[in-house]
């Protein structure tokens, strides 16, 4: 019987010891989690600082490169800009005759000598020869100008003849211009033709107007009749949205610290904020139609001519294309990866497989008022809005699928899954956790267990030496002080955990509100596209 009793006591002691060890291991896990949370927070702060520093450096470098490329343009193509201004000045002078024909002729010859490779210098020679009644010189200059850039030259002389009421000649030039175009490989000068069309420039000649209408309808028909092309163009808009820089910064500190699925939440938050950028693009293109009156006809033609001759030649355009990359770096706040994706997509739209559909999309999302007339961009959006709407709906559906329905919370060893609207239930669960684990948090902490074990050992060896008796006393004192401190700090610990929970739930609410607002902006933008374009 004595042996059985001894075995039972031993088993009881072992079970108690195992229970104590399990409790301590759980406490170790909780402590490890708190250490990991703190480490992650410090790492995130350092990582954010490093990223912001790198982005600032990239923005500064982009500004420096823009200045460098501006200098290259001035040195290599400065005379081109002089010719552009001179051509418009000469054309307008024909209305008021303030400058003598001889002066204009001398100026055009001087500019031609410095820029004999430029098609517009030959156009200027042709115009001045025509005014001075030198038909042979004018014909030679026209021939050379069209040889150097047939697309721009034929459209230039179409518009110029329209400006001065030479409609029959303008029709012939427009026929030559159409021969240069391929809807499956459009040139950017097509934007100028559309600008002229939207400005009513062709309206003074009904036959020419009908021809332009037929041309534009043919362009749009080519893309609308091919379902495969339409799917590809929806994809082009989708790629633009995917590569777009998210305007919102994820500043929810508590979500990052206390939500296990914080990365998922951040991705959704950034993506849904892009709808505000899309709304801004659509709003910027919702402009009134161009006012068309007989007394402002020449001014409308001059505006189109200005845009035509401001379209840069290939060599000059290559430099300005490089500038677009650095502008994208600045626009994306130094995030080079996003800028590179947008730049590559822009080049793709301008490169292989280039057609009128991609040209229209390029005008909408990659050009601005400086590059393409806003009314042309509005027309492009009106023709491609169904593709943009499809892309926006697909993007919105994808965001909704990725939006978490449960927020995985982890605070001071406690874990719970919230739906974002159950703060009371989460607080109750957190309090119950602290009530249940108060024994281990206050009494059975690792230092206390170690101190207790040492005290027991010292008590068992107290008869051997006075030092063990002193060790027993110190162990008991440490144990008492530690328990008192834990008891005193426990209410504050519970309060801090509840405060962290409240902060996290507040940020989850703000996140949910941002998502709802983003989807609302998406719906409002789609509605505007349907009714205003």
């Amino acid at each position: 019987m004595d042996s059985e009793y001894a075995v039972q006591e031993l088993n009881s002691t072992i079970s108690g010891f195992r229970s104590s060890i399990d409790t301590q291991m759980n406490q170790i896990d909780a402590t490890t989690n708190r250490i990991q949370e703190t480490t992650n927070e410090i790492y995130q702060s350092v990582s954010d600082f490093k990223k912001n520093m790198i982005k600032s450096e990239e923005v500064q470098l982009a500004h420096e490169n823009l200045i460098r490329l501006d200098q290259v343009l001035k040195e290599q193509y400065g005379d081109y800009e002089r010719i552009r201004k001179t051509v418009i000045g000469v054309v307008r002078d024909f209305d008021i005759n303030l400058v003598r024909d001889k002066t204009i002729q001398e100026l055009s010859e001087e500019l031609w000598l410095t820029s004999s490779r430029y098609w517009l210098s030959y156009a200027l020679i042709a115009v001045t020869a025509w005014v001075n009644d030198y038909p042979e010189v004018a014909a030679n200059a026209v021939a050379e100008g069209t040889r150097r850039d047939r697309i721009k030259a034929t459209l230039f002389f179409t518009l110029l003849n329209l400006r001065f009421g030479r409609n029959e000649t303008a029709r012939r030039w427009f026929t030559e211009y159409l021969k240069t175009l391929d809807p499956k490989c459009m040139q950017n000068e097509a934007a100028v033709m559309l600008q002229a069309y939207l400005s009513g420039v062709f309206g003074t000649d009904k036959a020419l107007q009908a021809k332009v209408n037929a041309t534009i309808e043919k362009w749009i028909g080519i893309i609308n009749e091919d379902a495969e092309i339409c799917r590809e163009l929806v994809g082009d808009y989708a790629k633009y949205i995917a590569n777009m820089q998210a305007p919102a910064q994820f500043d929810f500190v508590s979500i990052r610290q206390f939500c296990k699925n914080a990365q998922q939440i951040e991705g959704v938050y950034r993506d849904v904020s892009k709808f505000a950028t899309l709304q801004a693009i659509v709003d910027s293109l919702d402009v009134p139609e161009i006012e068309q009156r007989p007394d402002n006809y020449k001014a409308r033609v001059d505006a189109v001519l200005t845009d035509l001759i401001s379209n840069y030649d290939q060599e000059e355009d290559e430099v300005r294309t490089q500038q677009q990359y650095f502008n994208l770096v600045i626009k994306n706040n130094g995030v080079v990866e996003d800028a590179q994706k947008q730049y590559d997509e822009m080049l793709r739209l301008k490169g292989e497989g280039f057609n009128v559909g991609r040209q229209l999309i390029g005008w909408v999302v990659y050009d601005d008022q400086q590059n393409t007339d806003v009314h042309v961009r509005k027309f492009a959006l009106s023709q491609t809005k169904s593709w943009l709407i499809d892309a926006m709906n697909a993007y919105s559906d994808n965001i909704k699928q990725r939006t978490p329905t449960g927020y995985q919370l982890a605070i001071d060893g406690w874990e719970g899954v919230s739906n974002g609207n159950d703060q009371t239930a989460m607080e109750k669960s957190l309090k119950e956790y602290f009530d249940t684990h108060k024994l281990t948090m206050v009494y059975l902490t690792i230092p206390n267990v170690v101190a207790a074990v040492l005290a027991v050992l010292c008590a068992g060896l107290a008869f051997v030496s006075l030092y063990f008796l002193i060790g027993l006393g110190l162990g008991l004192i440490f144990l008492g002080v530690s328990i008192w401190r834990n008891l005193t700090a426990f209410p504050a610990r519970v309060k801090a955990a509840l405060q962290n929970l409240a902060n996290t739930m507040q940020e989850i609410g703000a996140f949910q509100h941002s998502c709802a607002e983003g989807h609302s902006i998406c719906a409002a933008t789609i509605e505007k596209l349907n009714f205003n374009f």
Side-chain angles (χ1 to χ4, degrees):
M1 294 294 294
D2 291 340
S3 60
E4 290 180 359
Y5 177 76
V7 170
Q8 290 176 358
E9 287 296 313
L10 180 60
N11 288 334
S12 176
T13 303
I14 292 173
S15 297
F17 182 73
R18 178 182 296 171
S19 175
S20 177
I21 292 298
D22 289 342
T23 301
Q24 295 309 312
M25 290 303 296
N26 291 334
Q27 186 68 21
I28 290 172
D29 289 341
T31 304
T32 302
N33 289 334
R34 288 198 298 274
I35 294 173
Q36 185 63 47
E37 289 171 0
T38 304
T39 302
N40 290 340
E41 185 177 357
I42 295 172
Y43 174 80
Q44 187 65 47
S45 299
V46 173
S47 179
D48 288 344
F49 175 77
K50 180 181 177 181
K51 288 179 181 178
N52 290 333
M53 182 176 67
I54 293 174
K55 289 192 290 186
S56 297
E57 291 175 353
E58 291 292 348
V59 169
Q60 179 62 34
L61 185 61
H63 280 295
E64 293 174 0
N65 279 306
L66 285 174
I67 294 172
R68 175 181 59 81
L69 292 173
D70 276 335
Q71 189 62 33
V72 171
L73 289 171
K74 288 178 182 178
E75 292 176 356
Q76 297 185 12
Y77 304 102
D79 289 333
Y80 286 18
E81 188 63 30
R82 286 184 62 202
I83 293 174
R84 292 169 190 141
K85 292 179 180 178
T86 301
V87 167
I88 294 300
V90 167
V91 169
R92 289 173 178 167
D93 183 68
F94 291 158
D95 296 325
I96 52 180
N97 293 319
L98 288 180
V99 182
R100 289 181 300 173
D101 295 343
K102 184 178 180 181
T103 303
I104 294 175
Q105 181 180 343
E106 291 174 352
L107 178 59
S108 63
E109 290 172 353
E110 175 192 342
L111 291 173
W112 175 81
L113 289 173
T114 59
S115 306
S116 58
R117 296 180 302 159
Y118 192 23
W119 73 271
L120 191 59
S121 63
Y122 291 95
L124 180 58
I125 289 287
V127 171
T128 55
W130 174 56
V131 171
N132 288 291
D133 196 22
Y134 296 139
E136 186 176 347
V137 174
N140 290 338
V142 166
E144 186 62 24
T146 53
R147 186 183 70 81
R148 292 181 179 275
D149 195 321
R150 187 169 181 79
I151 297 175
K152 288 190 180 75
T154 52
L155 186 56
F156 174 83
F157 288 116
T158 298
L159 296 171
L160 188 68
N161 280 282
L162 281 173
R163 189 186 191 281
F164 293 104
R166 295 164 55 88
N167 291 352
E168 184 177 349
T169 305
R171 283 197 299 272
R172 291 200 299 269
W173 274 112
F174 189 73
T175 300
E176 294 300 316
Y177 168 71
L178 290 180
K179 292 177 182 178
T180 69
L181 299 182
D182 179 359
K184 294 184 179 180
C185 187
M186 295 287 291
Q187 300 293 328
N188 204 45
E189 286 71 29
V192 180
M193 194 274 272
L194 275 175
Q195 181 185 354
Y197 168 73
L198 297 171
S199 300
V201 169
F202 301 113
T204 57
D205 188 310
K206 300 303 180 185
L208 183 56
Q209 178 80 357
K211 201 167 190 176
V212 175
N213 286 339
T215 301
I216 295 173
E217 289 174 3
K218 180 181 178 182
W219 289 354
I220 303 304
I222 288 174
I223 51 178
N224 286 334
E225 292 172 2
D226 192 323
E228 183 61 29
I229 289 179
C230 289
R231 282 194 295 271
E232 290 178 2
L233 295 173
V234 171
D236 290 336
Y237 265 130
K239 287 178 183 177
Y240 173 76
I241 297 173
N243 294 336
M244 184 188 299
Q245 172 76 5
Q249 296 297 317
F250 190 78
D251 296 325
F252 297 137
V253 178
S254 295
I255 288 180
R256 275 184 173 168
Q257 187 173 356
F258 302 115
C259 279
K260 289 185 175 181
N261 53 345
Q263 189 172 2
Q264 178 188 7
I265 297 170
E266 181 175 355
V268 170
Y269 179 78
R270 290 183 182 278
D271 285 347
V272 81
S273 72
K274 294 181 181 180
F275 289 126
T277 302
L278 291 171
Q279 183 186 51
I281 293 174
V282 172
D283 287 345
S284 70
L285 300 183
D286 189 15
V287 295
E289 301 299 327
I290 300 171
E291 188 177 5
Q292 300 178 12
R293 306 187 313 272
D295 62 310
N296 73 354
Y297 177 75
K298 289 185 176 181
R300 283 183 274 135
V301 178
D302 288 349
V304 178
L305 279 171
T306 299
D307 279 358
L308 171 63
I309 63 179
S310 296
N311 274 313
Y312 308 108
D313 283 20
Q314 182 176 355
E315 293 179 358
E316 188 177 2
D317 187 57
E318 289 175 358
V319 179
R320 295 188 182 274
T321 300
Q322 294 179 43
Q323 286 185 315
Q324 284 183 282
Y325 168 75
F326 294 114
N327 280 321
L328 285 172
V329 172
I330 295 171
K331 185 177 179 181
N332 285 278
N333 299 315
V335 182
V336 176
E337 295 80 6
D338 290 347
Q340 187 65 52
K341 289 178 183 177
Q342 294 178 18
Y343 182 71
D344 291 342
E345 181 63 13
M346 182 190 74
L347 294 181
R348 190 185 71 82
L349 287 176
K350 293 176 66 175
E352 296 180 3
F354 195 56
N355 60 35
V356 65
R358 292 196 177 97
Q359 174 67 86
L360 293 172
I361 292 176
W363 287 336
V364 173
V365 296
Y366 291 112
D367 284 4
D368 53 27
Q369 179 64 38
Q370 184 178 356
N371 296 323
T372 305
D373 180 74
V374 66
H375 296 92
V376 174
R377 297 179 64 211
K378 180 180 181 180
F379 173 84
L381 181 57
S382 70
Q383 297 301 320
T384 62
K385 67 179 183 181
S386 63
W387 309 331
L388 177 57
I389 289 172
D390 287 348
M392 290 176 66
N393 280 328
Y395 199 73
S396 177
D397 290 342
N398 177 267
I399 291 174
K400 290 176 181 177
Q401 291 174 4
R402 292 188 291 113
T403 301
T405 56
Y407 301 89
Q408 302 168 14
L409 306 177
I411 301 174
D412 198 3
W414 168 82
E415 293 187 4
V417 179
S418 170
N419 61 16
N421 300 306
D422 54 355
Q423 183 170 345
T424 301
M426 291 295 102
E427 288 177 347
K428 180 181 178 182
S429 174
L430 181 61
K431 290 177 182 177
E432 289 176 350
Y433 170 83
F434 276 99
D435 289 341
T436 303
H437 292 78
K438 182 174 182 180
L439 178 65
T440 58
M441 291 180 175
V442 173
Y443 299 99
L444 299 180
T445 63
I446 295 175
N448 289 355
V449 170
V450 172
V453 170
L454 292 175
V456 170
L457 290 174
C458 288
L461 298 172
F463 65 91
V464 175
S465 171
L466 181 62
Y467 291 110
F468 288 107
L469 186 61
I470 295 173
L472 172 62
L474 292 175
L476 292 174
I477 293 172
F478 174 84
L479 193 61
V481 171
S482 177
I483 291 173
W484 176 78
R485 284 180 176 177
N486 290 342
L487 276 172
T488 305
F490 187 74
R493 183 174 177 179
V494 175
K495 183 178 179 180
L498 288 170
Q499 184 61 54
N500 288 333
L501 175 62
N503 293 340
T504 306
M505 295 299 294
Q506 183 179 9
E507 290 184 358
I508 289 173
F511 164 74
Q512 291 177 323
H513 176 74
S514 297
C515 288
E517 185 178 23
H519 289 297
S520 176
I521 289 173
C522 176
T525 304
I526 289 174
E527 183 178 3
K528 176 171 280 190
L529 284 168
N530 281 322
F531 290 99
N532 290 23
F533 291 85

